[in-house]
Amino acid sequence: MNYRDVLLGLTTYPEASSSGAVKWAVSLAELLDCRLTAFAADIKVEVPGRLLGNLLIDISALAAAEMNKSRMNASELLAAFTHEAEKRGVPHVEIHEQCLVSAVPDLMADYARMKDLTIMPVPVIDFVDQWYAETVVFQSGRPVLIVSDQSPPAQAKLDTVAVAWDFSRTAARAVADALPLLERAKLVRILCVLNEKSFGSSRGSSELAAHLAHHGVNVVVDEVDAGGRTIGAVMERFTADHQVDLLVMGAYGHSRFREFILGGATKSVMARPPVPTFLSH
């Protein structure tokens, strides 16, 4: 089993995704030996007529400038993507759309439904890109791999992969969806955080380890006491201490009228992914 068809969702507005995130995504596609499709959309801005503001500033001109900025960002990102993919010999496709800025995340989710996996660069200070990523996570029905847009790793690696395990349905779904990555990893560390919440299961982490070992995965179990820390803080420290290249976890939450209600761990990771993080809902 492997991912054969992967999507890279790029943001063009209000800021462009970074070239570093593009390079990391292409290096992962090379590692997985898959086709990578890059999606970028020029945004359109609708300007209502007869606004009082038009008497004070030229709103149409401002909107045109923002749309031009988005269009240039899209062209530059896709050109950088194609250059990197060709340099690495990665099969690649470009998708260049145009739509209202409010429609971008839903359009990304549409494309993501037809892919094995979607890679989403996420900045730690920009709510817009987090909103895009959340939409794809909760509406595509497919796994999503988020990577920090501000400080992505230089090269994709799967030397050490950590699995955040809490015996839940979403965690089990994440493990199943991430199997192609877990099977490629040199080492998989099952992280079970104790004294953070009630697990509600009589099964032990060792049973998950045995299941993964049956798939040929080299796996160990790490039980860590939360010690009063949040789950996000525990995972951030754990990934740093063990030089984790990729974190796998279930995504908790739902969307209601575009307001996402996220679980604590999901919210923490979406806002500040400590390492590239594989999310499944």
Side-chain angles (χ1 to χ4, degrees):
M1 181 180 177
N2 196 7
Y3 304 119
R4 294 298 182 190
D5 202 12
V6 175
L7 179 69
L8 170 61
L10 298 172
T11 303
T12 68
Y13 182 85
E15 300 297 332
S17 299
S18 71
S19 59
V22 172
K23 290 179 180 179
W24 184 86
V26 175
S27 72
L28 180 65
E30 180 184 28
L31 182 64
L32 298 178
D33 190 24
C34 67
R35 182 179 76 164
L36 184 61
T37 299
F39 166 91
D42 302 345
I43 60 103
K44 294 192 296 183
V45 179
E46 289 185 338
V47 180
R50 299 182 180 179
L51 283 178
L52 178 60
N54 281 323
L55 300 176
L56 304 176
I57 56 175
D58 191 341
I59 295 178
S60 296
L62 290 176
E66 294 301 294
M67 288 188 288
N68 184 59
K69 172 186 174 182
S70 172
R71 183 167 56 253
M72 292 179 63
N73 284 341
S75 296
E76 291 173 2
L77 280 170
L78 291 175
F81 162 75
T82 297
H83 173 77
E84 190 68 18
E86 290 178 349
K87 183 175 72 174
R88 291 180 176 270
V90 172
H92 58 283
V93 177
E94 292 182 16
I95 298 176
H96 193 170
E97 291 271 10
Q98 184 182 62
C99 63
L100 293 172
V101 65
S102 60
V104 173
D106 288 329
L107 189 55
M108 280 188 180
D110 280 347
Y111 280 110
R113 291 184 186 116
M114 301 298 111
K115 302 298 179 184
D116 300 322
L117 173 69
T118 296
I119 302 170
M120 294 287 299
V122 179
V124 297
I125 58 173
D126 187 349
F127 172 76
V128 172
D129 284 13
Q130 292 174 22
W131 171 33
Y132 288 1
E134 289 163 6
T135 301
V136 178
V137 168
F138 292 109
Q139 295 187 14
S140 69
R142 299 287 189 168
V144 177
L145 204 169
I146 63 173
V147 58
S148 172
D149 203 9
Q150 293 190 334
S151 56
Q155 180 81 17
K157 296 192 302 179
L158 294 174
D159 291 343
T160 302
V161 175
V163 174
W165 181 248
D166 63 359
F167 302 88
S168 65
R169 181 199 67 80
T170 54
R173 172 67 182 271
V175 169
D177 287 346
L179 265 178
L181 299 175
L182 302 180
E183 290 173 343
R184 285 176 172 267
K186 293 180 180 178
L187 175 65
V188 171
R189 309 191 75 103
I190 299 173
L191 170 61
C192 188
V193 181
L194 306 178
N195 299 318
E196 195 273 331
K197 69 176 183 180
S198 175
F199 292 125
S201 173
S202 60
R203 306 270 68 83
S205 301
S206 60
E207 293 183 60
L208 174 62
H211 166 67
L212 293 178
H214 192 68
H215 284 269
V217 176
N218 181 26
V219 57
V220 297
V221 175
D222 294 287
E223 294 186 339
V224 178
D225 194 313
R229 296 171 293 171
T230 66
I231 186 67
V234 173
M235 289 192 296
E236 184 172 359
R237 180 63 181 269
F238 183 86
T239 56
D241 287 348
H242 295 283
Q243 297 181 314
V244 171
D245 301 306
L246 182 76
L247 174 65
V248 174
M249 59 181 287
Y252 293 89
H254 63 275
S255 169
R256 184 181 296 274
F257 301 114
R258 312 304 291 167
E259 293 184 5
F260 285 91
I261 310 301
L262 305 179
T266 308
K267 183 176 181 180
S268 175
V269 169
M270 292 289 286
R272 186 179 176 180
V275 294
T277 301
F278 180 102
L279 294 166
S280 188
H281 179 57

